[in-house]
């Protein structure tokens, strides 16, 4: 009985180790950061998902979560976006498929941001990367880098 129990525990331990090993694959952040930096002009003021500030720490960076907080404070999507764009002089927007705006389900804010991008920005490029286990990965993601006129 003890050998059978030990064997089962050992097998479960090995399966868990393989699963954790797969899920803990190194995320492709370093490569993604280099790609994002190559698309963002120097001395830009950026609005994007908080995870990108690591790559753009020497630029003016505003996390999209800040925009979400303003929207919660004053649920006028256009006014919230205008306020952030003016206060922070945003000229680059990093649009992630999984930023705070989509996560919180704030459709009005996402729609207004999308309309602003269509009218005032152009796509400089897209960066594909894999997020790591710290976000439930490995999960493939794409970030679009938009350059906007002020």
């Amino acid at each position: 009985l003890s050998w059978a129990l030990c064997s089962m525990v050992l097998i479960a331990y090995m399966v868990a180790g393989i699963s954790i090993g797969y899920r803990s694959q190194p995320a492709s952040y370093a490569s993604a950061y280099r790609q994002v930096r190559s698309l963002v002009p120097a001395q830009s003021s950026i609005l994007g998902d908080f995870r990108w500030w690591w790559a753009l720490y020497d630029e003016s960076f505003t996390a999209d979560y800040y925009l979400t907080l303003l929207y919660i404070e004053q649920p006028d999507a256009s006014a919230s976006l205008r306020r952030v764009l003016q206060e922070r002089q945003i000229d680059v927007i990093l649009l992630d498929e999984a930023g705070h705006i989509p996560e919180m389900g704030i459709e009005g804010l996402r729609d207004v941001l999308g309309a602003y991008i269509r009218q005032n920005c152009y796509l400089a490029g897209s960066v594909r990367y894999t997020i790591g286990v710290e976000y439930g990965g490995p999960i493939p993601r794409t970030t679009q880098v938009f350059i906007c006129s002020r």
Side-chain angles (χ1 to χ4, degrees):
L1 178 67
S2 65
W3 282 105
L5 181 60
C6 286
S7 296
M8 288 175 50
V9 168
L10 181 60
I11 290 171
Y13 180 77
M14 288 174 29
V15 168
I18 291 169
S19 174
I20 290 170
Y22 169 74
R23 292 178 55 84
S24 299
Q25 294 178 47
S28 56
Y29 294 131
S31 172
Y33 288 170
R34 283 190 299 277
Q35 292 175 57
V36 167
R37 282 205 68 84
S38 74
L39 295 169
V40 173
Q43 299 179 342
S44 293
S45 183
I46 304 157
L47 173 67
D49 186 87
F50 71 93
R51 84 177 45 117
W52 293 112
W53 83 265
W54 290 97
L56 303 159
Y57 61 88
D58 54 345
E59 307 293 339
S60 173
F61 191 89
T62 302
D64 62 356
Y65 193 67
Y66 178 70
L67 180 58
T68 304
L69 291 174
L70 287 179
Y71 179 75
I72 291 169
E73 179 183 299
Q74 177 190 8
D76 176 344
S78 294
S80 296
L81 181 60
R82 274 193 314 273
R83 181 174 167 191
V84 170
L85 294 172
Q86 289 170 357
E87 283 179 4
R88 304 298 172 106
Q89 298 183 332
I90 302 296
D91 54 7
V92 173
I93 297 175
L94 306 179
L95 193 59
D96 284 45
E97 57 198 349
H100 280 92
I101 295 167
E103 281 176 6
M104 296 184 77
I106 301 174
E107 301 300 325
L109 188 52
R110 184 172 40 193
D111 293 343
V112 168
L113 182 59
Y116 176 82
I117 289 171
R118 283 189 298 279
Q119 293 171 5
N120 300 288
C121 310
Y122 68 89
L123 179 63
S126 295
V127 176
R128 296 186 199 301
Y129 60 100
T130 302
I131 60 172
V133 69
E134 70 278 11
Y135 292 107
I139 300 170
R141 291 280 192 235
T142 301
T143 294
Q144 295 176 305
V145 178
F146 293 94
I147 309 297
C148 306
S149 57
R150 286 190 191 171

